[in-house]
């Protein structure tokens, strides 16, 4: 197998080249951490020494740990034969950068970066040289925008009280974009913000019309991609809306704390949906908690029990068992036909021109041929974005 594949795993970019997996760091993230280290060293005198101990501001940890940086690669797409575009979110900053994955020393190209904005999934159209990207400017809503890589300007093409994500250009109609979307509204019965089930739409850039492709109030349909024959692929997973029941005198006494916890919970929830990271972690020193909790893991904005899913996949005889629940199904819908299940337990996937599929189950990267034979590429944990090069 000589396939070249690019993927995103937490804050790193992964490359598969001739069956070998290597990991590349973001130069922007490296520069960000370098600047933080310089700032820390510059002000270290304020929190060290006997004076700091006397004033109660002594910092025992005088070294800077890059793992403290809250960073995640949120999108990756092919730009041309040897370049990719990736999106990254670091604390309060998001950016889009051009990278040569085959030459780690080549300087990255800067497309755009902004504060208090999150750039999510991206897809590049090499026919019209346009990049479509999901952008969140208020941490709740997100909408699709078309970005010109040359001048870094973008314009929104969707709007409304919705979460629009995972755009992909049509392989048949080069001016059409598939994406998943969910409505959002104030949930008066439960409090906070209610997010509806996700469904798939197709936006015609020429006419401006939007067609609903598939929806169901019981399921989320996400990550649509079209192949060269016009077949539409997507991931189907159960839609669950959390509800809270019960009320007592204790609830009244604890109401101020419940409200504060609820506010933080919603902020934390949306931080994990868009940035892929919690606002904080459990433990005495949360900035150093990098270990995965096998019973509480957020993947694609969904809380899963990774340990339970892995054990179930093993028990059912999966050749390459992963942490993705079996209810996360990769579907294929041929024109004029009903969707059929291709593979269970899928987090992300891509299709090449030969009809082969590369998918991630959170533990492995596996190639699936048209006759459904599986070919292991390698072990790669928490891969949320994958793309054939």
């Amino acid at each position: 197998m000589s396939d070249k594949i690019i993927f995103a795993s937490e804050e790193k970019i992964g490359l598969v080249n001739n069956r070998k997996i290597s990991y590349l760091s973001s130069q922007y993230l490296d520069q960000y951490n370098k600047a933080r280290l310089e700032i820390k060293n510059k002000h270290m005198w304020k929190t060290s020494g006997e004076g700091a101990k006397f004033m109660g501001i002594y910092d025992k940890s005088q070294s800077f740990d890059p793992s403290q940086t809250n960073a995640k690669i949120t999108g990756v797409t092919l730009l041309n034969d040897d370049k990719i575009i990736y999106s990254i979110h670091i604390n309060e900053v998001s950016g889009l950068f051009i990278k040569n994955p085959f030459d780690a020393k080549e300087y990255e190209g800067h497309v755009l970066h902004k504060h208090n904005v999150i750039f999510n999934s991206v897809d590049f159209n090499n026919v019209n040289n346009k990049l479509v990207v999901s952008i969140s400017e208020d941490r709740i809503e997100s909408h699709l925008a078309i970005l010109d890589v040359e001048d870094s300007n973008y314009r929104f093409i969707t709007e409304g009280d919705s979460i629009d994500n995972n755009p992909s250009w049509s392989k048949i109609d080069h001016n059409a974009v598939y994406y998943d979307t969910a409505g959002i509204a104030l949930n008066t019965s439960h409090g906070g913000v209610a997010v509806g089930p996700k469904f798939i739409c197709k936006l015609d850039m020429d006419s401006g019309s939007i067609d609903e492709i598939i929806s169901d109030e019981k399921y989320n349909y996400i990550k649509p991609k079209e192949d060269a024959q016009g077949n539409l692929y997507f991931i189907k997973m159960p839609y669950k809306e959390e509800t809270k029941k019960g009320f007592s005198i204790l609830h009244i006494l604890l109401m101020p704390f419940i409200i504060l916890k609820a506010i933080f919970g919603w902020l934390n929830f949306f931080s994990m949906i868009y940035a892929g990271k919690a606002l904080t972690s459990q433990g005495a020193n949360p900035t150093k908690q990098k270990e995965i909790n096998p019973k509480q893991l957020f993947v694609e904005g969904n809380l899963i029990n990774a340990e339970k899913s892995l054990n179930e996949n093993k028990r059912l005889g999966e050749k390459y068992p992963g942490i993705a629940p079996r209810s996360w199904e990769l579907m294929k819908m041929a024109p004029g036909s009903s969707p059929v299940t291709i593979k269970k337990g899928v987090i992300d996937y891509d299709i090449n021109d030969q009809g082969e599929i590369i998918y991630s189950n959170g533990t492995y990267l596996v190639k699936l041929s048209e006759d459904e034979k599986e070919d292991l590429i390698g072990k790669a944990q928490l891969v949320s974005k994958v793309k054939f090069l």
Side-chain angles (χ1 to χ4, degrees):
M1 183 184 68
S2 59
D3 297 309
K4 295 180 176 64
I5 299 162
I6 200 78
F7 62 89
S9 177
E10 296 292 89
E11 73 279 5
K12 292 184 178 181
I13 299 169
L15 173 67
V16 179
N17 190 7
N18 294 324
R19 286 192 176 272
K20 294 182 179 179
I21 296 179
S22 58
Y23 288 88
L24 314 168
S25 62
S26 162
Q27 291 180 8
Y28 181 72
L29 176 58
D30 292 341
Q31 293 170 357
Y32 181 93
N33 283 328
K34 182 180 178 181
R36 288 187 64 188
L37 175 59
E38 292 175 351
I39 293 173
K40 184 176 181 65
N41 290 338
K42 182 179 179 180
H43 297 283
M44 186 179 296
W45 64 272
K46 296 179 182 180
T47 57
S48 61
E50 295 300 321
K53 291 181 180 180
F54 176 78
M55 297 177 65
I57 57 173
Y58 181 76
D59 184 4
K60 294 181 180 179
S61 174
Q62 297 299 322
S63 61
F64 172 70
D65 183 0
S67 66
Q68 296 177 355
T69 304
N70 187 3
K72 183 178 178 67
I73 304 295
T74 55
V76 61
T77 187
L78 176 66
L79 178 62
N80 52 43
D81 290 338
D82 61 352
K83 297 289 178 65
I84 63 168
I85 296 178
Y86 73 90
S87 55
I88 186 170
H89 183 66
I90 310 172
N91 292 337
E92 299 301 321
V93 182
S94 272
L96 293 165
F97 301 90
I98 298 173
K99 187 178 187 69
N100 183 347
F102 303 103
D103 186 354
K105 295 182 179 180
E106 182 176 327
Y107 194 74
E108 291 182 356
H110 174 265
V111 179
L112 177 67
H113 79 276
K114 296 185 72 174
H115 286 264
N116 299 317
V117 169
I118 299 176
F119 297 110
N120 293 301
S121 300
V122 296
D123 193 35
F124 185 74
N125 187 332
N126 57 16
V127 176
N128 59 23
N129 292 321
K130 298 293 184 182
L131 182 76
V132 61
V133 54
S134 171
I135 302 177
S136 175
E137 293 186 333
D138 64 2
R139 291 187 177 273
I140 298 179
E141 294 181 5
S142 65
H143 301 297
L144 304 188
I146 297 296
L147 187 143
D148 191 319
V149 177
E150 297 296 328
D151 61 20
S152 302
N153 291 321
Y154 63 84
R155 61 182 178 87
F156 284 102
I157 56 175
T158 63
E159 60 182 2
D161 299 329
S162 61
I163 299 173
D164 307 326
N165 203 4
N166 298 308
S168 66
W169 292 99
S170 168
K171 296 291 182 64
I172 306 298
D173 183 355
H174 296 296
N175 272 334
V177 176
Y178 289 97
Y179 65 100
D180 58 62
T181 183
I184 56 177
L186 179 66
N187 191 327
T188 56
S189 61
H190 307 145
V193 177
V195 180
K198 297 178 182 180
F199 55 97
I200 292 173
C201 290
K202 181 182 181 181
L203 169 63
D204 188 319
M205 298 287 295
D206 293 327
S207 65
S209 62
I210 298 177
D211 295 325
E212 182 180 303
I213 304 300
I214 186 168
S215 65
D216 191 316
E217 62 181 11
K218 296 180 180 180
Y219 297 98
N220 283 327
Y221 296 105
I222 65 172
K223 298 189 173 184
K225 294 181 183 180
E226 187 180 55
D227 67 13
Q229 288 71 45
N231 302 305
L232 186 65
Y233 294 77
F234 50 86
I235 293 176
K236 170 187 173 183
M237 59 179 61
Y239 166 70
K240 297 179 181 179
E241 182 183 8
E242 292 186 2
T243 59
K244 296 180 180 180
K245 298 180 180 180
F247 197 78
S248 66
I249 297 297
L250 181 61
H251 283 83
I252 298 176
L253 296 175
L254 295 177
M255 188 60 69
F257 304 99
I258 293 173
I259 292 174
L260 287 175
K261 183 177 180 181
I263 292 173
F264 178 81
W266 277 106
L267 292 174
N268 201 41
F269 173 72
F270 284 107
S271 175
M272 285 187 276
I273 285 181
Y274 293 110
K277 302 278 187 176
L279 293 176
T280 186
S281 304
Q282 297 176 351
N285 190 350
T287 61
K288 294 186 178 181
Q289 295 293 322
K290 298 297 288 185
E291 294 82 6
I292 297 173
N293 184 341
K295 294 186 178 180
Q296 282 191 328
L297 181 62
F298 258 87
V299 178
E300 296 296 287
N302 297 274
L303 184 63
I304 67 170
N305 187 321
E307 185 178 63
K308 179 180 178 181
S309 297
L310 180 61
N311 289 336
E312 181 182 9
N313 289 325
K314 288 180 179 178
R315 180 176 58 83
L316 293 175
E318 281 288 342
K319 190 175 181 180
Y320 307 112
I323 63 171
R326 294 182 63 80
S327 58
W328 294 13
E329 302 179 50
L330 175 60
M331 313 292 291
K332 176 182 178 181
M333 186 167 67
S337 302
S338 299
V340 295
T341 301
I342 300 298
K343 183 66 183 176
K344 294 184 178 182
V346 175
I347 292 177
D348 196 43
Y349 70 98
D350 196 27
I351 318 130
N352 63 15
D353 293 338
Q354 290 72 46
E356 297 171 323
I357 297 171
I358 174 73
Y359 74 86
S360 162
N361 58 22
T363 305
Y364 296 99
L365 284 174
V366 182
K367 191 173 78 168
L368 190 65
S369 62
E370 283 192 288
D371 56 4
E372 298 187 3
K373 290 183 178 179
E374 292 187 319
D375 183 9
L376 176 65
I377 293 175
K379 194 168 186 177
Q381 294 189 348
L382 297 179
V383 172
S384 58
K385 307 291 179 183
V386 60
K387 190 83 172 179
F388 277 109
L389 294 182

